[in-house]
Amino acid sequence: TMALMLVSAIFSWVKGWTITIFLVIFLTVNYSYSDLGIINVPNHAYGLDYTTEPTDYDPRKVYGNMDVDSLMQEDFSHMLEILDNWRKKHATKAVITGKKPKLVIINASGGGSRAAMWTMNSLLAADSALNGDLMEHAFLVTGSSGGMIGAAYIRELLYQSKRDSTINPYSEVYCDNIGKDLLNPVIFSIATNDFFIRYQKFQEGENIYTKDRGYSFEKQLNENTHQTLSKRLIDYAPSFAPKYP
């Protein structure tokens, strides 16, 4: 409707020059996107410094002076160490029960809010069946999109419940939180900001970033979950390490 109104207004002003005017607008917008970077502002990961010179990730330069075989062996050894640490954590229980510990790998499928709720409820059911030991046995949580959001949310709730007995991760309140609306703020951001020049900015630490639909999504998700997922990597430093990986 807005586009039709704009075309009608321009036509009433310039008459036969309408096609020429729209051609000039199209070329200007295209040039702004491709060469000037005025409209097409890239998305950034908040917390990273983008003012430094980008690294050239040409494989020939990255691996040119490296011993790839040694790197692979080092990575292999490091992974074995991680697995050994996981096994040692369960060694006492294995001796008592006489059974090998079960290593759990969680793979969450995508699908927006529906996948987030489904993943969260499924993991809660599995955790309940294991007497609250699901994350004790979980070695890796992987997946995509909404499923990973649900998995991250329940993992954080289980982590916090280990420290705060007032938090009950099985409460329906948390399932309601993860199912709250996320789409409207994102669509609003696309319609009012992302389609045009992004002028709103915010500061994270010492860096300044441009607000976009990713910012709107994260902001609304944090509001829905009462800042449960508003964490930085440093918050999981060794001094704050959870009981499980």
Side-chain angles (χ1 to χ4, degrees), residues 19-51:
I19 296 178
T20 304
I21 294 297
F22 272 102
L23 183 60
V24 170
I25 293 175
F26 173 79
L27 293 175
T28 301
V29 171
N30 183 68
Y31 180 70
S32 298
Y33 263 102
S34 59
D35 295 329
L36 298 181
I38 297 176
I39 300 178
N40 185 25
V41 180
N43 299 92
H44 292 149
Y46 310 141
L48 298 183
D49 184 5
Y50 289 88
T51 60

Side-chain angles (χ1 to χ4, degrees), residues 40-242:
N40 185 25
V41 180
N43 299 92
H44 292 149
Y46 310 141
L48 298 183
D49 184 5
Y50 289 88
T51 60
T52 59
E53 186 69 22
T55 301
D56 186 2
Y57 282 101
D58 185 341
R60 291 170 297 182
K61 295 182 179 179
V62 174
Y63 299 107
N65 299 322
M66 295 183 180
D67 187 345
V68 178
D69 292 335
S70 297
L71 288 175
M72 291 177 60
Q73 183 59 44
E74 182 180 346
D75 185 62
F76 179 79
S77 300
H78 181 61
M79 193 64 202
L80 281 181
E81 182 181 356
I82 294 175
L83 289 168
D84 285 338
N85 289 337
W86 182 91
R87 184 174 60 179
K88 290 176 182 177
K89 184 177 68 172
H90 296 276
T92 302
K93 187 175 181 180
V95 171
I96 296 174
T97 60
K99 298 179 180 179
K100 293 182 179 180
K102 302 296 184 182
L103 184 147
V104 177
I105 295 178
I106 300 170
N107 186 16
S109 63
S113 296
R114 179 183 297 180
M117 288 194 68
W118 188 90
T119 299
M120 186 171 177
N121 280 284
S122 298
L123 293 180
L124 282 173
D127 186 68
S128 177
L130 294 173
N131 298 317
D133 284 342
L134 175 62
M135 288 300 172
E136 287 288 337
H137 291 271
F139 179 77
L140 173 67
V141 181
T142 184
S144 63
S145 192
M148 279 303 294
I149 293 177
Y153 188 40
I154 188 57
R155 188 268 179 197
E156 182 62 26
L157 288 173
L158 290 171
Y159 163 57
Q160 293 187 10
S161 68
K162 299 290 184 180
R163 298 185 164 197
D164 186 352
S165 59
T166 63
I167 296 178
N168 178 17
Y170 301 100
S171 172
E172 293 183 359
V173 172
Y174 300 114
C175 288
D176 292 339
N177 288 344
I178 203 66
K180 290 179 181 178
D181 176 52
L182 285 170
L183 186 59
N184 281 333
V186 175
I187 295 300
F188 182 79
S189 176
I190 293 175
T192 60
N193 190 41
D194 286 16
F195 279 165
F196 304 100
I197 298 176
R198 302 177 188 175
Y199 58 90
Q200 294 183 324
K201 298 182 182 297
F202 72 100
Q203 184 170 352
E204 176 66 29
E206 298 180 354
N207 301 306
I208 297 177
Y209 305 94
T210 303
K211 291 183 179 180
D212 55 16
R213 57 187 178 275
Y215 172 85
S216 299
F217 177 87
E218 186 171 335
K219 180 175 181 292
Q220 188 62 49
L221 178 63
N222 286 332
E223 290 179 1
N224 291 351
T225 58
H226 303 287
Q227 308 301 318
T228 300
L229 295 175
S230 183
K231 296 289 187 69
R232 299 172 300 169
L233 291 178
I234 195 173
D235 296 326
Y236 298 99
S239 58
F240 301 96

